[in-house]
Amino acid sequence: MNASYSPSGVCVEAAPAGAHGFDADTPLSLELARQFAASGYQFCVRYLTLGSDEDASDLSASEAQDILEAGLALMAVQHVREPGWSPNAAMGKSDGQNTAAHAKTVGLLPGVNIWCDLEGVADGTAAQDVADYCSQWFEAVSAAGYAPGLYVGSDAGLSGAQLYELPFQHYWQSCSSVPEIPQRGYQMVQTLVPQPVNGIGIDADQTQNDQLGGTVRWQVLTERA
């Protein structure tokens, strides 16, 4: 793995292909994170608040430290609006700025993947409006030093070719039926987990190299107490 940033034993690395992890909408304590690590999970994706005011149920600085201390790598994804929302450029800029600010607050380092959750777009939304939202989100997150990624969920509002034309270089395939990304493909694939694991609901995720050799980038603690 190639480390790109390493203060105080924390760094951002290119993830290997075949790593098993999970995403969860439930805060993890140090004990719970250790249970997942002991169960064979290698990384966790936790949520960042959509609005400007941080929600107590979303990733915090202390939780991020606990996840890393437990031996799990960490990435983050921003919450999405309820199904039937109508994206536009101004919304993308605002959402991207919010998630970049929250990422900095919780201690995520430059270069780590922060994911935009694209799903539930209202029927009839113009593809250009969706693309403008995504591009403005990308620009805001990239300007803050992070590696923007796109989670492609159901009703994303764009075809595979249109998704490929976006500025993203990191794509995450949801467990829904979604388009393939031509010429690139996905760097992470989600699988539905119907039953709770270690007492909480999760979806499973596995990393892979895309067709251009790209990989997800996660944050790890290289020196644990």
Side-chain angles (χ1 to χ4, degrees):
M1 298 181 187
N2 297 318
S4 63
Y5 194 74
S6 182
S8 303
V10 182
C11 69
V12 173
E13 297 178 336
H20 295 276
F22 67 99
D23 57 274
D25 195 18
T26 301
L28 274 65
S29 64
L30 177 58
E31 179 182 359
L32 183 54
R34 283 174 170 163
Q35 290 178 24
F36 276 99
S39 299
Y41 292 92
Q42 297 165 271
F43 68 93
C44 173
V45 185
R46 278 282 287 126
Y47 280 88
L48 295 173
T49 304
L50 180 63
S52 58
D53 296 328
E54 187 173 306
D55 191 290
S57 66
D58 292 330
L59 182 64
S60 65
S62 60
E63 183 191 357
Q65 291 174 347
D66 285 343
I67 290 169
L68 295 171
E69 182 63 37
L72 297 172
L74 177 63
M75 293 178 283
V77 57
Q78 186 179 40
H79 279 291
V80 67
R81 290 170 175 80
E82 292 297 319
W85 66 293
S86 299
N88 58 52
M91 189 184 294
K93 181 178 180 179
S94 176
D95 289 354
Q97 290 173 338
N98 285 341
T99 202
H102 292 313
K104 183 176 181 180
T105 297
V106 304
L108 295 178
L109 301 181
V112 71
N113 274 140
I114 307 295
W115 300 91
C116 174
D117 187 345
L118 183 63
E119 61 181 312
V121 173
D123 290 342
T125 301
Q128 189 61 56
D129 287 339
V130 182
D132 288 346
Y133 172 91
C134 293
S135 295
Q136 288 298 311
W137 192 98
F138 177 97
E139 292 298 331
V141 173
S142 180
Y146 296 106
L150 189 66
Y151 172 90
V152 182
S154 61
D155 299 322
L158 295 175
S159 67
Q162 290 167 331
L163 289 165
Y164 175 74
E165 291 299 322
L166 296 174
F168 292 90
Q169 298 179 1
H170 305 273
Y171 291 87
W172 174 10
Q173 182 179 8
S174 74
C175 54
S176 301
S177 178
V178 296
E180 289 296 323
I181 310 296
Q183 302 181 55
R184 177 174 288 279
Y186 291 95
Q187 295 174 2
M188 191 158 64
V189 178
Q190 183 185 65
T191 304
L192 180 68
V193 178
Q195 300 297 327
V197 177
N198 293 321
I200 67 169
I202 67 166
D203 286 319
D205 301 289
Q206 182 169 328
T207 62
Q208 61 185 24
N209 295 341
D210 68 21
Q211 296 168 26
L212 300 178
T215 64
V216 302
R217 299 188 63 81
W218 61 28
Q219 185 165 322
V220 295
L221 185 65
T222 57
E223 300 173 5
R224 296 204 299 276

